[in-house]
């Protein structure tokens, strides 16, 4: 199971970008430069303002029109479509007539239905009359929504003229940028244009950055003043607003709709579209309120009591948190600040005057609110990453002027700008020597200064050792020397850094145990045994605590700002990650599982927080699948025990003891203990736990205390000795013993009895049944005896076996069967 953090994809229209910087490169070449600058282009898609681009549509002239002989509502027409060609078309439109100029879809033309699905014009026969094309209505061409009849065009048009030449079709290339979370400054066309300008300068191309002018902004009269009060300036450091009166809410002009459609937005109305346009143009979110709905002609920016009800634009009633920042009027909340508007205060078709808001909200506050209410809007996405606090008023004026253009009206109040404490630019000092060390190559100082200047970073002073700089506030990700060096490097070009032909390395001799090396060794061993490595999320659900008393809720490390309720605490056990992965695979018909994972658990104790390293193993299903050579065999406890033992043996850990394990996680289990410290706990997981994950098969799990294992690994050299020349001898005993007697105790007694010549003791048969006395069982033990200096005699062997038998009788009341 892999956890992948993906970058946010931002769409940038190339035509829109060219309004800021007049570049004549093709989209592919520009995309390569943007990728080199760190704005990775994940794709370039074509956009047509009219789907299909009206390909195959020509202007036709209706020469004849008469009633269809076999249908009352159809007409048969003869239409000239250019180059002397006249075709017959059956048409059902009530307004078709002789002499009209009409759009004709010729045979083979692809049109699109309301859902965007393509369909092709074919030669056909309608009620016995042949038809060679279609005379189109505006909705069939994507030019409008009307289907009352066919489009009747200008009489001056010539038959055969391409429709794409008559109608204004915009073709565009759209960049899909995989934007990393730190680059909040590049979430707009203006921000991308700034980077592009810097990149072009490095390619010795100097182009002016054209910004929208607000010089025509003026207050026509002051008849609609809205008072604004910000109750908490830490949550809303800057808040601006202005009123516009006499607007008419309707569809946006086609150019504005095309801009929004090109980046995947659906036009709504001219007011909302204008605010969305400025959002994606400059990166500043805005919100328009119907000012007639603002009670008391006052806006208050404040938090409300916990549990306050508020209905958002999507019609959902939400319960507010006491830390949610709200935009309110004198009586009621109107909007969740920076996140989502309210149902009752927004712009509608009857709106004639608006209060336009532009603000800089605290990023942490916005992120927490958005996550609490599971909302992710274009506005919240930008606010929570940090926008430019210095364009708040500029963007407001830009949007107000745009609204006047697309909706009419006049500005009827002064701009309110509440900005009590200016957000200062960052001061950073760059040491030239540190830059060279970090980059791995010395970049000429003049080039460094040129790059920084092109990025709008102001150089305050220059010394022999470095530069003092002022970083603009919109670059909230550039606060350290290392950040500045990264900026220099990405504009200079990673590809321009040379590789040295010489590789320097130092080799140190150490006896310490390196964790990563031990992990690699163990991982290789487990992989050879058929295991697959998994990676689980350290964040998990607090509900898993309820599955066992082994873990305590008060020991949870809780997230202050969780991504979701199911990822709100850090894991205390790796068991549940393993079961999640097991369940995921079983549900996809992969039921024979062997997984391992290296990871950490996290605990909140009274004396502080702790984290521990673990290795987890989980096995379920078959250990060997059926083939022509082998029969299918299920994984079982002793197979799993052998795997766990082999890990410790491979790491040189021996002389550990076994202890039975009793808790509410394992139905049967064992722990390996050395020096009174648990090395590993393993066994069969209880059914009530596995069933919670939808797992029906027997599941074996092991939790290796990796910190303890690392402590116990010996770093001593191995001692080699020759293979003994003299043979081993095996003897067996079948013992009748009490049910309480364990194999471990018999084994321990055997080695105490014969310390020199006894090499191994194994259990090869266990019998319990009706033929044995009550409370008894039968163990068949095999003993391996060897003298590495000479061949053993029968007398010696018999003496050892007799001594073993006597001790078993004395200590356990054992008898031979």
């Amino acid at each position: 199971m892999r956890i992948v953090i993906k970058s946010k994809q931002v769409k940038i229209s190339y035509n829109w970008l060219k309004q800021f910087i007049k570049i004549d490169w093709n989209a592919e070449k520009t995309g390569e430069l943007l990728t080199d600058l760190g704005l990775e282009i994940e794709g370039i898609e074509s956009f047509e303002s009219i789907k299909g681009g009206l390909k195959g549509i020509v202007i036709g002239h209706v020469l004849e029109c008469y009633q269809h002989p076999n249908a009352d509502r159809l007409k048969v027409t003869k239409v000239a479509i250019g180059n002397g060609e006249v075709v017959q078309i059956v048409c059902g439109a009530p307004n078709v007539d002789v002499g009209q100029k009409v759009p004709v879809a010729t045979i083979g033309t692809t049109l699109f239905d309301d859902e965007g699905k393509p369909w092709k014009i074919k030669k056909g026969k309608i009620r016995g009359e042949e038809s060679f094309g279609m005379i189109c209505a505006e909705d069939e061409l994507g030019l409008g929504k009307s289907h009352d009849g066919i489009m009747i065009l200008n009489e001056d048009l010539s038959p055969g003229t391409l429709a794409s030449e008559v109608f204004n079709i915009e073709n565009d290339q759209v960049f899909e940028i995989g934007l990393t979370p730190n680059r909040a400054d590049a979430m707009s066309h203006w921000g991308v244009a700034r980077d592009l300008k810097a990149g072009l300068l490095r390619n010795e191309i100097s182009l002016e950055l054209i910004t929208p002018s607000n010089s025509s902004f003026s207050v026509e009269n002051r008849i609609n003043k809205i008072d604004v009060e910000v109750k908490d300036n830490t949550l809303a450091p800057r808040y601006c607003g202005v009123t516009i009166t006499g607007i008419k809410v309707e569809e946006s002009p086609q150019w504005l709709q095309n801009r929004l459609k090109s980046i995947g937005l659906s036009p709504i109305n001219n007011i909302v579209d204008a605010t969305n346009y400025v959002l994606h143009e400059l990166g500043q979110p805005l919100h328009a309120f119907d000012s007639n709905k603002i009670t008391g002609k006052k806006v208050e920016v404040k938090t409300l009591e916990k549990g306050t009800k508020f209905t958002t634009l999507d019609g959902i009633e939400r319960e507010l948190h006491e830390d949610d920042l709200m935009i309110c009027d004198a009586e009621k909340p109107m909007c969740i600040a920076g996140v989502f508007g309210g149902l009752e205060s927004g712009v509608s078709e009857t709106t004639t005057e608006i209060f336009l808001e532009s603000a800089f909200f605290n990023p942490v506050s916005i992120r927490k609110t958005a996550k609490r209410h599971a909302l992710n809007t274009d506005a919240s996405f930008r606010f929570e990453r940090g926008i430019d606090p210095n364009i708040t008023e500029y963007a407001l004026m830009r949007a107000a002027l745009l609204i006047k253009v697309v909706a009419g009206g006049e500005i009827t109040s002064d701009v309110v700008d509440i900005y009590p404490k200016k957000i200062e630019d960052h001061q950073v000092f760059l040491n030239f020597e540190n830059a060279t060390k970090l980059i791995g190559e010395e970049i000429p100082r003049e080039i460094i200064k040129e790059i920084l200047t092109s990025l709008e970073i102001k150089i305050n002073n220059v010394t022999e050792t470095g530069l003092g700089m002022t970083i603009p506030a919109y670059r909230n990700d550039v606060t350290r020397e290392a950040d500045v060096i990264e900026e220099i490097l990405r504009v200079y070009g990673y590809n321009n850094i040379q590789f040295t032909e010489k590789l320097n390395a130092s080799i140190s001799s150490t006896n310490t145990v390196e964790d990563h090396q031990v992990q690699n060794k163990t991982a290789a061993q487990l992989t050879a045994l058929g295991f697959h490595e998994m990676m689980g999320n350290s964040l998990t659900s607090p509900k898993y605590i309820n599955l066992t008393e082994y873990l305590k809720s008060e020991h949870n490390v809780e997230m202050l700002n969780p991504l979701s309720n199911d990822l709100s605490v850090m894991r205390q056990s790796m068991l549940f990650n393993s079961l999640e992965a097991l369940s995921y695979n079983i549900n996809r018909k992969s039921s024979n599982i062997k997984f391992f994972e290296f990871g950490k658990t996290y605990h909140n104790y009274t004396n502080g927080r702790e984290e521990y390293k673990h290795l987890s193993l989980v096995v379920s299903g078959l250990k060997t699948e059926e083939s022509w050579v082998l029969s299918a065999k299920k994984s079982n406890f002793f197979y799993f025990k052998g795997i766990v033992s082999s890990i410790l043996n491979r790491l040189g850990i021996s002389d550990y003891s076994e202890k039975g394990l009793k808790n509410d996680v394992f139905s049967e289990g064992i722990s390996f203990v050395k020096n009174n410290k648990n090395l590993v706990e393993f066994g069969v997981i209880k059914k009530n736990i596995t069933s919670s994950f939808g797992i029906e098969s027997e599941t074996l799990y092991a939790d290796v205390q990796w910190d303890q294992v690392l402590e116990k690994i010996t770093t001593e050299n191995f001692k080699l000795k020759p293979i003994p020349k003299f043979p081993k001898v095996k003897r067996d005993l079948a013992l009748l013993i009490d049910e309480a007697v364990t194999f471990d105790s018999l084994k321990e007694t055997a080695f105490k009895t014969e310390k020199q010549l006894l090499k191994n003791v194994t259990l090869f048969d266990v019998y319990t049944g009706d033929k044995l006395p009550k409370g008894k069982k039968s163990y068949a033990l095999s003993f391996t005896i060897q003298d590495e200096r000479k061949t053993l005699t029968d007398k010696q062997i018999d003496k050892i076996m007799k001594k073993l038998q006597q001790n078993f009788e004395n200590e356990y009341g054992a008898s031979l069967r």
Side-chain angles (χ1 to χ4, degrees), residues 648-668:
L648 299 182
N649 294 339
R650 177 72 175 84
L651 298 177
I653 300 175
S654 58
D655 299 330
Y656 51 83
S657 60
E658 297 180 13
K659 287 187 178 180
L661 197 58
K662 291 185 179 180
N663 57 37
D664 62 351
V665 173
F666 297 107
S667 59
E668 54 179 314

Side-chain angles (χ1 to χ4, degrees), residues 196-249:
L196 185 57
K197 178 187 176 184
L200 290 170
L201 278 174
R202 284 298 306 141
N203 285 270
E204 300 181 351
I205 300 173
S206 179
L207 294 178
E208 179 187 0
L209 186 62
I210 304 166
T211 54
S213 173
N214 287 343
S215 60
S216 61
F217 182 89
S218 63
V219 181
E220 278 96 344
N221 58 60
R222 294 173 173 82
I223 61 172
N224 193 13
K225 182 185 177 185
I226 301 288
D227 293 324
V228 177
E229 182 181 3
V230 177
K231 295 289 183 74
D232 191 338
N233 294 116
T234 59
L235 298 181
R238 188 173 190 183
Y239 190 91
C240 297
V242 71
T243 62
I244 307 172
T245 304
I247 62 169
K248 182 180 180 182
V249 179

Side-chain angles (χ1 to χ4, degrees), residues 584-592:
Y584 182 90
N585 281 268
I586 289 174
N587 290 338
R588 285 153 184 80
K589 308 302 181 184
S590 178
S591 55
N592 301 322

Side-chain angles (χ1 to χ4, degrees), residues 63-258:
L63 303 176
E64 298 179 29
C65 181
Y66 55 88
Q67 188 66 43
H68 192 295
N70 303 316
D72 294 338
R73 296 186 180 182
L74 298 178
K75 294 179 182 178
V76 179
T77 65
K78 305 286 185 180
V79 184
I81 58 172
N83 297 322
E85 186 178 358
V86 178
V87 296
Q88 177 173 294
I89 298 176
V90 177
C91 181
N95 63 333
V96 64
D97 207 349
V98 174
Q100 293 172 342
K101 299 292 176 65
V102 293
V104 177
T106 57
I107 300 296
T109 298
T110 298
L111 298 179
F112 299 87
D113 63 17
D114 293 339
E115 296 178 355
K117 295 179 180 178
W119 59 283
K120 189 170 285 190
I121 299 294
K122 299 177 181 178
K123 174 185 173 181
K125 187 174 284 190
I126 303 174
R127 295 288 184 93
E129 294 292 328
E130 289 188 318
S131 185
F132 298 87
M134 186 175 81
I135 303 174
C136 302
E138 63 178 42
D139 66 327
E140 293 166 333
L141 298 178
L143 294 169
K145 297 179 180 179
S146 173
H147 195 71
D148 295 336
I150 60 168
M151 291 186 75
I152 301 173
L153 306 177
N154 194 310
E155 293 181 358
D156 297 335
L157 295 173
S158 300
T161 303
L162 297 177
S164 58
E165 297 175 1
V166 176
F167 299 98
N168 185 24
I169 299 176
E170 182 174 356
N171 295 303
D172 198 358
Q173 299 289 100
V174 180
F175 299 112
E176 296 175 347
I177 300 178
L179 200 64
T180 51
N182 64 305
R183 291 303 307 276
D185 63 295
M187 292 188 291
S188 66
H189 288 74
W190 188 18
V192 173
R194 278 191 304 237
D195 258 24
L196 185 57
K197 178 187 176 184
L200 290 170
L201 278 174
R202 284 298 306 141
N203 285 270
E204 300 181 351
I205 300 173
S206 179
L207 294 178
E208 179 187 0
L209 186 62
I210 304 166
T211 54
S213 173
N214 287 343
S215 60
S216 61
F217 182 89
S218 63
V219 181
E220 278 96 344
N221 58 60
R222 294 173 173 82
I223 61 172
N224 193 13
K225 182 185 177 185
I226 301 288
D227 293 324
V228 177
E229 182 181 3
V230 177
K231 295 289 183 74
D232 191 338
N233 294 116
T234 59
L235 298 181
R238 188 173 190 183
Y239 190 91
C240 297
V242 71
T243 62
I244 307 172
T245 304
I247 62 169
K248 182 180 180 182
V249 179
E250 57 187 2
E251 274 193 358
S252 297
Q254 198 60 47
W255 70 266
L256 178 52
Q257 291 192 43
N258 289 344

Side-chain angles (χ1 to χ4, degrees), residues 445-478:
R445 296 181 181 184
E446 286 304 313
I447 291 179
I448 289 177
K449 288 189 280 186
E450 288 173 8
I451 290 173
L452 293 174
T453 303
S454 72
L455 291 171
E456 300 183 359
I457 295 175
K458 182 182 177 183
I459 298 175
N460 300 322
N461 55 75
V462 182
T463 67
E464 281 297 315
T465 57
L467 303 172
M469 298 160 293
T470 299
I471 313 296
Y474 67 80
R475 288 309 306 271
N476 52 44
D477 62 318
V478 182

